[in-house]
Amino acid sequence: QVQLVESGGGSVQAGGSLRLSCAASGRSVERINTIMGWYRQGPGKQRDLVATITRDGSTNYADSVKGRFTISRDNAKNTIDLQMNSLKPEDTGVYYCNERTYLGDYWGQGTQVTVSA
């Protein structure tokens, strides 16, 4: 079992910045070589990938956030962060932390991000 707890959501005007954090805990043997990431679900939309990062730091971003968002990972602290700059109203949604292990996917409870025009 893996537990994920997100923090850092909030409301901001377009062009502003927010930083999300996710702390992971659970069986260390299950958390070896995992992929961690952020997904978001906008109002009336499906949950979509925002960014992922492997244990060795390889990253992948949705085209819509490239150049604006940066994902980072601290393996020693079992955390990932998402620095979000130049936020747009279309970035609004619930952001979920995800960890993919060899046993499956785990999700956090989600944190709301609201960007006003």
Side-chain angles (χ1 to χ4, degrees):
Q1 279 285 354
V2 173
Q3 294 79 41
L4 302 171
V5 178
E6 303 104 334
S7 61
S11 297
V12 66
Q13 288 190 326
S17 298
L18 284 174
R19 187 176 185 90
L20 305 182
S21 295
C22 174
S25 61
R27 294 194 310 149
S28 57
V29 65
E30 186 176 353
R31 301 197 60 251
I32 296 174
N33 293 328
T34 63
I35 298 173
M36 298 187 72
W38 291 94
Y39 291 72
R40 70 185 176 196
Q41 187 165 14
K45 297 181 180 180
Q46 66 182 21
R47 190 176 299 186
D48 291 326
L49 178 145
V50 175
T52 61
I53 185 166
T54 64
R55 188 171 181 82
D56 64 1
S58 296
T59 58
N60 180 49
Y61 294 92
D63 288 342
S64 61
V65 307
K66 284 180 180 177
R68 300 188 298 122
F69 291 11
T70 302
I71 189 170
S72 59
R73 180 170 180 166
D74 187 328
N75 293 320
K77 296 181 179 179
N78 293 324
T79 60
I80 62 169
D81 290 337
L82 184 69
Q83 177 65 42
M84 305 185 293
N85 298 327
S86 302
L87 282 160
K88 303 176 181 180
E90 50 264 44
D91 294 320
T92 294
V94 179
Y95 283 67
Y96 296 91
C97 180
N98 168 269
E99 184 160 24
R100 177 162 295 175
T101 78
Y102 71 94
L103 291 180
D105 281 300
Y106 295 92
W107 297 92
Q109 79 286 357
T111 185
Q112 177 69 42
V113 170
T114 302
V115 184
S116 58

